[in-house]
Amino acid sequence: MIQVLAFYLFATLAILSAVLVIMSRNPVHSVLWLILAFFNAAGLMVLAGAEFIAMLLVIVYVGAVAVLFLFVVMMLDIDFAELRAGFVRNFPLGMLIALVLLAELVFGIGAWRAGSIDLAPAGATEAAPMAASNIAAIGQVLYGKYLFLFESAGIILLVAMVGAIVLTHRDRKDTRPQNISKQNRRRPQDATVNMRPEIGEGVQL
Amino acid sequence: MTQTFVNWGMTYDWAWFVATIAGILLIALPLMLAVAMIIYADRKIWAAMALRRGPNVVGPFGLLQSFADGLKVFLQETIIPSAANKGLFLIAPIITFTVALMAWAVIPFNSGAVLADINVGLLYVLAISSLGVYGVVIAGWASNSKYPFFSAMRAAAQMISYEVSIGFILICVVLWAGSFNLNAIVEAQRGAGLGIVNGFWFNLLLFPMWVMFLISSMAETARAPFDLTEAESELVAGYQTEYSSMSFALYWLGEYANVLLMCALNATLFWGGWLPPLEIEFLYWIPGFVWLCLKILFFFFIFSWVKATVPRYRYDQLMRLGWKVFLPLSLLFVVLVSGWLMFTRYG
């Protein structure tokens, strides 16, 4: 009973906040509704028994991606009238994307109903039965059956990250960054001199 | 607790529901009292280190100071700036306060005495603590004012930076304990040090992790010396500048509830949680709840001590510490810990 109630609560809120993402006039409000949609999706995952995925959804999307998103949207100075002006021009493109998404959803559900396929190479170790805890089961699958795919995905992400840093990094000459080890190595005798100059002579530094 | 309600003649569903509500109240209400007293303790410790007396007028030894402050704040007028985004302006402190209470659901107070005994307890703590930044960022933006906005930007960058290294530190603990469940992590610390010391801190690989976790938790809760989000010399009062009355009090309470939570996590993850410090029979006569509270108070004293003695970091130093010192170090220790465990336990 409680589960059914919770499901309808999460599902309704998810759809409602997803609609409000595109309906609200203020982009910051849009991002906040998006965060609520992520949150409700995480709630649905918990109900489906995938608590590990739910927590990852909250940590990665709500905790990191959406924060940066909010950051950027808040910093931008957006002219709302200008945004709305392009609506008619962009409408066909939007419809096309919506159609593609709908078709993919239909294909996906159709393929799911037709039964699963086996992507693993022959001779790979079998996944642990789902009776084990969620994290253990996912670990068995990722680091057992799909080890090669998982590791190569990790390498690709690393390369992408290094690439992004290399592309955006510029070596500025006009900044004076603090060198902490150099500061710590500095001793009083390096910086001060004890002198007794003659009257009227001054000091050469 | 569910079983008690079932025995009273409820169906299991309703018994579970009522037991959960009762559990939430059992944690949240004493926590609020603890927060009020810990604010008093913080001021007293801080005063003692500055050779002052601290609050000593309201009640015996000034014990009722926090309640007097609460009453005063409650009776004040709530001022909403006319340029503010009203809805978000009011929601922001509620988010901070709620999130500060939510994470307590998975902290074990005694063997099995935990509201939500879930498999992914530690991930839940990480997920909830990553939400804390929203209260600050939304407040900064909704105030529509210069200094709160600067503070919100600082807070967002600061919390994300330190969450990364906290994540790696927690991975070390999880690897050693072999579980994400906080109760199982506490149990794994029973006699972890030479069979007599309870706690992961008595371990050459995990002790540096604990030191880093302590510093990171100060940065995560924006306590001094990392309180750049409310640096009064630069940003007035940071994101709280436009807040008054109860909406300000919610930030205040939420902040201290967060500090207590971080102290509880320090105790639970590295110092044996509700276990007594040493694995000796007669120490178990004292209930586990008391041991946990003592440990939380000990860590809170460290937090206050640091606040009273260490000058504030500069912003670039804060970022340097997070990204250039803690991140590589914690990554190195993940490799060391997993290598050591592979060599000794699973090899």
Side-chain angles (χ1 to χ4, degrees), chain A residues 1-2 26 28-29 32 35 39 51-52 55-56 58-59 61-64 66-68 70-71 74-75 133-135 178 180, chain B residues 13 16-17 85 88 102 119-120 123-124 126-127 130-131 133-134 137-138 141 149 153 156-157 160 163 180 314 316-317 320:
Chain A
M1 181 60 192
I2 291 171
N26 191 330
V28 173
H29 290 182
L32 293 174
I35 292 164
F39 221 77
E51 71 262 18
F52 181 64
M55 290 305 146
L56 283 196
V58 175
I59 293 173
Y61 281 93
V62 181
V67 172
L68 294 179
L70 196 64
F71 207 89
M74 280 178 176
M75 300 279 263
S133 90
N134 222 300
I135 304 173
Q178 184 182 20
I180 293 203
Chain B
D13 275 6
W16 177 84
F17 185 71
N85 191 318
L88 290 180
M102 268 166 82
N119 277 332
V120 288
L123 282 176
Y124 173 83
L126 257 188
S130 69
L131 293 181
V133 68
Y134 281 110
V137 171
I138 293 173
W141 183 79
F149 191 65
M153 295 292 122
I160 290 180
E163 233 148 62
F180 272 101
R314 218 172 50 210
D316 61 315
Q317 292 172 330
R320 178 184 168 273

Side-chain angles (χ1 to χ4, degrees), chain B residues 229-266:
Chain B
T229 54
E230 43 199 280
E232 65 278 349
S233 53
E234 309 149 30
L235 296 179
V236 193
Y239 58 92
Q240 302 165 343
T241 305
E242 306 290 345
Y243 281 88
S244 56
S245 176
M246 275 319 275
S247 50
F248 173 74
L250 284 182
Y251 273 119
W252 209 24
L253 295 174
E255 208 170 279
Y256 275 91
N258 256 332
V259 170
L260 279 186
L261 174 77
M262 277 300 172
C263 296
L265 278 180
N266 267 300

Side-chain angles (χ1 to χ4, degrees), chain B residues 166-322:
Chain B
I166 283 187
F168 282 121
I169 293 167
L170 295 189
I171 284 176
C172 292
V173 175
V174 166
L175 281 172
W176 210 283
S179 173
F180 272 101
N181 183 310
L182 283 172
N183 231 334
I185 290 175
V186 171
E187 281 296 340
Q189 296 178 53
R190 194 186 288 275
L194 305 175
I196 178 98
V197 182
N198 288 328
F200 282 148
W201 65 273
F202 197 82
N203 183 325
L204 271 184
L205 281 174
L206 290 177
F207 184 75
M209 291 287 92
W210 168 65
V211 175
M212 282 167 61
F213 186 71
L214 186 69
I215 299 172
S216 298
S217 49
M218 281 171 200
E220 179 78 6
T221 50
R223 282 279 291 192
F226 305 106
D227 56 346
L228 286 140
T229 54
E230 43 199 280
E232 65 278 349
S233 53
E234 309 149 30
L235 296 179
V236 193
Y239 58 92
Q240 302 165 343
T241 305
E242 306 290 345
Y243 281 88
S244 56
S245 176
M246 275 319 275
S247 50
F248 173 74
L250 284 182
Y251 273 119
W252 209 24
L253 295 174
E255 208 170 279
Y256 275 91
N258 256 332
V259 170
L260 279 186
L261 174 77
M262 277 300 172
C263 296
L265 278 180
N266 267 300
T268 307
L269 296 177
F270 291 96
W271 288 70
W274 45 266
L275 292 170
L278 295 174
E279 185 73 3
I280 300 170
E281 184 57 38
F282 74 86
L283 287 179
Y284 280 93
W285 295 348
I286 301 171
F289 175 70
V290 176
W291 283 121
L292 183 67
C293 285
L294 285 176
K295 285 171 186 173
I296 290 176
L297 283 178
F298 171 67
F299 287 115
F300 187 78
F301 179 74
I302 295 184
F303 269 63
S304 288
W305 186 6
V306 168
K307 180 181 177 177
T309 47
V310 180
R312 184 178 292 135
Y313 262 58
R314 218 172 50 210
Y315 193 68
D316 61 315
Q317 292 172 330
L318 175 90
M319 284 294 145
R320 178 184 168 273
L321 185 70

Side-chain angles (χ1 to χ4, degrees), chain A residues 112-124:
Chain A
W112 173 70
R113 287 177 66 116
S116 63
I117 52 167
D118 193 11
L119 285 173

